[in-house]
Structures are given as structure tokens and as C-alpha cells.
Amino acid sequence: MNAGWSSHFEHFSGSGRLPGRPTPRGRGAAINPPNRFERLHHQADYEHLQYDEDFLAGQENPQTEYIPDDSQTIVTSNDSPDIPYRYTLNPYRGCSHGCAYCYARPTHEYLGFSAGLDFETKVLYKPRAAELFREFLSRPGWHAEPICLSGVTDCYQPAERRFRLTRSCLEVALEARQPVSLVTKNALILRDVDLLGQLAQRRLVHVSISVTTLDAELARRMEPRTSAPGDRLRAVRQLRQAGVPVGVLVAPVVPGLTDWEIPRILRAAAEAGAQCACFQLVRLPLTVKPVFLDWLQRNFPLRRRKIENLIRSTHEGRLNSPEFCLRMSGSGPMAEQIAQLFDTFAHQYGLDSGCRPLDSSQFRPPRRAGGQMWLF
């Protein structure tokens, strides 16, 4: 492939969807933007497939493929100054929730996939998650501190119904008295309320439920396979009834689309029993950008330019602020206005006091995988 054709090919393939390509139903992404680590990108020639009804039907309804991930570790660490936890545990890679704005999409490119439709339809699961977690906690050098489940992809995405990996990790955490925090936008978390209640009795767990909008129709478009907003608030209510500490994460706030909902989201969260709240501004790094802008064009063509410009106004003319401590809060007048709006109503509804710290002093190494217990 000569340089001139390569340049044209990359520009064309990165521009979005080919004419005539079916739009997948129930998915956030409708494109597979080029993987930034690969030199070539393949596109189907839909002009020559317009009469292949079976093929086109499959493109309109792509199925989720679950792929076993033979990872040898399960807990990762970070030293980011704007992330409130150091360690994360992710049982899954990729996420069929299909949120158009998901900042984790580019992580799929490390696996040779696209950050677009591939991220939603090729989900990797770690069958040894609980075993690997047990091995990590058994290390002599481990000094217990909270570990966050869902630091990247949602640990209660639909795959959890089948594989129950998050539950198995919670069982290990309970045995070891290991403090954990969880972030999810799926009411499926209620299936584990028995374990969460036991962890909560020992001050070993905190749950954050993510709420982007209270508009069920907008949520269905933007987060097509997540729980409806009402179900997420129901999860908050039932977790609190079980004694589990719960906060609400208003994220991401999309200027011109969801920012006006902040007061009513906070009010609904407080009425459901949430104890604290925080927010994050939308950011569109790397290959999240073409996926979200394509989604915006498909769903709000007349408002796309305005919303895009408002997002840019919070990131100094860009769609993402890579700088620590700015990337999730933004800067400029619009970002300040959103922050002031959130702070005002978080205070009004009593959600600005922060979350109760977890207790790491109870930790005890778990049994090893073979059943061997520690002598000391």
C-alpha cells in the first residue's frame, strides 16, 4: 500500500460509518474506529452486501462474545493523584453496557480490538478472578488498604449474571476482612446484598451508584444495556435498607445535555437514602472521541455542534484534559458553573459530607487456594 493511498484509507476509515452500513440496535457505538496501535484497518464494503439480508441482519443485532482471559494477576495499582484509591480489581475487560462516553474504551485497543463496537461485543472474563485475588491477598508484603472493584469496567455488567466473578471476589474479601469499594450503574448489585451487608457490618465496603440522567429514554440511548435510572435509585434504597453505605456518582456530566439535571439527580439520590455524592465531567480521550461524536450525530444531529462546543469549553478547546486533577473536573467558566451548581445542591440535600472511611485493621490473610491455612 503506497503512502498516498494509506493516508486516504486512514482518513476514510477514521471518519465513521460507511454509507449503507446498518446501525446496531441496543448498542452505544455504531462504528469500530481504527486501533491506534495497528497500521491497517479493515472495513466491510457494504455496497456489495446490500442484498445479503442475513449478513445485514447480523450487523443490526451483533451478539456479545465472551472470551476467557488467562490473566495471571487481578489487582493493579495506580499513582494518579486525582483517583481516591490506589488498587483496583477488574474481573472483566470490555463492557456490554455500551456507554457511548466510556473512558475505558481505549483499553480494548491493547488487546487488538477496537474501542468502538468491539468494546461492547467482545468481553473478556477472568475465570480465575477469585483465585488470583486470594493469591494477591496472601502475599506476605500486602498491607491492607481499600481495593476498588470497577476501576475500569463495570463489575456488575450483564456478564456477571453468568460468571458471578464479582460475587466470588466479594466472598474472598469477606473471608480476609479486606475492605473494598464498588462502582456500578447496574441494579444487579442487589443480588449480592447478603455479602455486602456482612461486609458493611464490619465497615469493609462502600458502594457508589452511577447516575448520568433521570431521563429513561436518554439513558436507553446513551447507556443502552445498563439499568434504568429508576432501578439504580431502587438499588440505592435497598442497599441502604441493608445497612450498606451508598453514595451516588453523577457521571459523566455532559454540558448542554445532562448538566441541567444535577439538582434533580441529587434530590432523588438523597430521597433514596444516598449518604454522599460526587460528580465527574465528561471527557473524550483518544478513540472515545469518534465513538461519542458519532453517537451524538445519530441521536442529536441538530444539537451536536452546540454540545461539542460546550464540552470543548470545559477542556480549553479540547475534548479531553489529560492533566491530572483537571481531566475529570475541567476548567473555565462552564466547568466552574457546573461545579458550583453541584456543590450548592449537594450541600442542600446533605450529600457533601463525604463517605465514611473503611477499616483496614481487621485484615487477615485468606486461606490459600489449596485450603492451607496460615499458622500465624
Side-chain angles (χ1 to χ4, degrees):
M1 183 180 292
N2 64 49
W5 175 252
S6 174
S7 175
H8 171 75
F9 179 82
E10 291 175 0
H11 172 75
F12 176 72
S13 63
S15 63
R17 190 179 325 107
L18 288 174
R21 176 172 180 168
T23 299
R25 298 193 301 269
R27 300 291 180 177
I31 60 173
N32 264 329
N35 186 316
R36 59 199 158 106
F37 299 115
E38 296 182 353
R39 296 182 61 187
L40 300 179
H41 177 64
H42 301 280
Q43 286 276 17
D45 188 348
Y46 288 93
E47 181 180 355
H48 294 82
L49 296 168
Q50 58 182 316
Y51 300 113
D52 191 335
E53 295 181 359
D54 291 338
F55 175 84
L56 295 177
Q59 295 296 296
E60 292 179 354
N61 188 29
Q63 301 300 302
T64 304
E65 179 182 1
Y66 295 113
I67 305 168
D69 181 345
D70 192 28
S71 294
Q72 300 304 302
T73 58
I74 192 73
V75 177
T76 58
S77 64
N78 76 86
D79 57 1
S80 302
D82 55 356
I83 295 179
Y85 45 81
R86 182 180 175 188
Y87 294 96
T88 61
L89 187 158
N90 292 279
Y92 305 99
R93 296 185 182 184
C95 183
S96 57
H97 276 163
C99 304
Y101 52 74
C102 182
Y103 66 84
R105 287 182 176 274
T107 63
H108 232 43
E109 295 180 298
Y110 294 113
L111 306 174
F113 299 122
S114 169
L117 197 56
D118 281 356
F119 179 78
E120 306 174 31
T121 59
K122 300 183 186 301
V123 175
L124 281 72
Y125 67 96
K126 303 175 182 179
R128 298 179 58 225
E131 177 186 347
L132 294 172
F133 190 30
R134 186 180 297 276
E135 290 177 0
F136 177 85
L137 296 179
S138 298
R139 296 177 180 179
W142 172 244
H143 299 287
E145 60 181 277
I147 295 176
C148 177
L149 278 74
S150 291
V152 182
T153 54
D154 201 313
C155 62
Y156 282 105
Q157 62 175 285
E160 177 64 13
R161 294 186 182 276
R162 174 176 175 181
F163 299 109
R164 302 172 70 89
L165 299 179
T166 299
R167 181 176 180 86
S168 67
C169 290
L170 289 177
E171 291 171 341
V172 174
L174 180 59
E175 176 189 339
R177 308 293 190 258
Q178 165 62 45
V180 293
S181 62
L182 301 98
V183 183
T184 184
K185 57 186 65 176
N186 200 320
L188 180 61
I189 191 174
L190 291 175
R191 190 176 65 175
D192 293 339
V193 71
D194 56 330
L195 293 175
L196 296 171
Q198 294 179 64
L199 287 164
Q201 290 176 4
R202 296 179 176 273
R203 294 184 60 185
L204 294 174
V205 70
H206 181 271
V207 173
S208 293
I209 302 295
S210 175
V211 180
T212 312
T213 175
L214 295 183
D215 183 335
E217 174 59 25
L218 177 57
R220 188 185 65 80
R221 293 191 199 183
M222 188 160 48
E223 310 162 331
R225 297 189 179 222
T226 60
S227 296
D231 290 333
R232 299 184 213 182
L233 294 172
R234 174 174 58 85
V236 172
R237 185 174 297 107
Q238 293 188 19
L239 287 168
R240 285 299 302 130
Q241 290 172 352
V244 179
V246 183
V248 164
L249 175 62
V250 184
V253 175
V254 183
L257 186 62
T258 66
D259 53 329
W260 67 274
E261 289 195 70
I262 288 175
R264 68 176 196 152
I265 291 175
L266 292 175
R267 177 179 179 179
E271 291 175 347
Q275 298 163 291
C276 57
C278 58
F279 84 97
Q280 292 179 3
L281 202 62
V282 69
R283 56 192 178 99
L284 307 174
L286 303 170
T287 35
V288 183
K289 171 184 172 180
V291 172
F292 183 81
L293 293 183
D294 177 75
W295 175 87
L296 201 55
Q297 178 63 36
R298 285 184 288 111
N299 288 276
F300 300 98
L302 300 181
R303 298 169 59 188
R304 173 196 162 162
R305 187 175 297 278
K306 177 182 178 181
I307 294 171
E308 180 182 345
N309 287 338
L310 286 172
I311 295 174
R312 290 184 181 278
S313 74
T314 64
H315 295 292
E316 299 181 343
R318 301 166 293 181
L319 290 171
N320 176 57
S321 298
E323 299 87 355
F324 290 131
C325 302
L326 281 180
R327 54 183 180 165
M328 288 181 272
S329 60
S331 59
M334 185 66 184
E336 293 174 3
Q337 177 181 332
I338 290 172
Q340 290 173 5
L341 180 68
F342 181 89
D343 291 344
T344 297
F345 284 92
H347 179 73
Q348 177 176 331
Y349 295 120
L351 298 173
D352 59 345
S353 58
C355 303
R356 184 180 67 175
L358 302 180
D359 183 5
S360 300
S361 66
Q362 306 171 55
F363 176 77
R364 60 188 188 187
R367 294 184 181 90
R368 293 184 175 181
Q372 178 66 44
M373 298 183 67
W374 291 82
L375 296 178
F376 305 101

